[in-house]
């Protein structure tokens, strides 16, 4: 949840990403983090788990969730009149008493409406 998203923001800032927005909402949809890096708009979904047991990170974002993220990103782009290439990333954070692991998956999915 909130801690995972803050860890993701800190991670992205350290890598040189410029955070533009957090928890952007459109209707009942939400984007966790919107940032810019190397003239690209990056839309980031954050998933925080307490275990990485047998989980393919890409299965954490369903096709319908992807469509909602794309629709919300499109709204953000229109509202802010952004003219940049857009990329959809996933950050998976495994956080428990024994580990804090952050995995950044670039181009986790591609927009399909």
């Amino acid at each position: 949840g909130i801690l995972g998203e803050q860890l993701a923001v800190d991670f992205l800032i350290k890598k040189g990403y410029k955070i533009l927005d957090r928890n952007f909402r459109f209707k009942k949809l939400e984007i966790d983090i919107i940032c810019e890096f190397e003239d690209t708009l990056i839309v980031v979904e954050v998933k925080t788990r307490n275990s990485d047991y047998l989980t393919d990170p890409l299965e954490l974002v369903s096709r319908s969730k992807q469509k909602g993220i794309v629709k919300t990103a499109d709204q953000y782009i229109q509202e802010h009149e952004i003219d940049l290439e857009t990329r959809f990333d996933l950050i998976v954070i495994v956080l428990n008493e024994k580990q804090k692991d952050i995995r950044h998956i670039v181009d986790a999915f591609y927009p399909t409406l």
Side-chain angles (χ1 to χ4, degrees), residues 1 10 12 17 25 29-30 47 60 63 66 71 77 80-83 85-86 89 92 99 102 104 111-113:
D10 295 344
L12 290 167
Y17 288 67
R25 294 181 185 278
L29 306 168
E30 180 185 58
K47 293 293 184 183
L60 296 174
R63 181 66 76 201
Q66 290 177 23
K71 186 182 282 188
I77 289 165
H80 294 84
E81 298 179 353
I82 294 172
D83 185 23
E85 289 291 319
T86 303
D89 291 4
V92 180
Q99 75 184 115
I102 299 175
H104 183 189
T112 54
L113 287 176

Side-chain angles (χ1 to χ4, degrees), residues 71-84:
K71 186 182 282 188
T72 306
D74 187 53
Q75 180 66 29
Y76 183 88
I77 289 165
Q78 288 179 37
E79 278 183 24
H80 294 84
E81 298 179 353
I82 294 172
D83 185 23
L84 295 172

Side-chain angles (χ1 to χ4, degrees), residues 19-31:
I19 306 302
L20 302 177
D21 213 330
R22 293 175 67 173
N23 306 111
F24 176 78
R25 294 181 185 278
F26 172 62
K27 297 183 179 179
K28 293 183 179 182
L29 306 168
E30 180 185 58
I31 294 174

Side-chain angles (χ1 to χ4, degrees), residues 8-9 11-13 15-24 31-46 76-77 82 84-91 104:
V9 165
F11 173 84
L12 290 167
I13 289 170
K15 292 182 91 176
Y17 288 67
K18 177 183 172 189
I19 306 302
L20 302 177
D21 213 330
R22 293 175 67 173
N23 306 111
F24 176 78
I31 294 174
D32 295 328
I33 302 169
I34 299 172
C35 51
E36 187 177 335
F37 184 69
E38 297 178 344
D39 295 323
T40 302
L41 184 72
I42 317 290
V43 176
V44 182
E45 175 70 7
V46 179
Y76 183 88
I77 289 165
I82 294 172
L84 295 172
E85 289 291 319
T86 303
R87 188 177 87 201
F88 296 86
D89 291 4
L90 173 62
I91 293 183
H104 183 189

Side-chain angles (χ1 to χ4, degrees), residues 54-72:
L54 295 179
T55 303
D56 177 356
L58 299 179
E59 292 178 5
L60 296 174
V61 185
S62 69
R63 181 66 76 201
S64 64
K65 176 75 172 176
Q66 290 177 23
K67 287 180 180 182
I69 292 169
V70 170
K71 186 182 282 188
T72 306

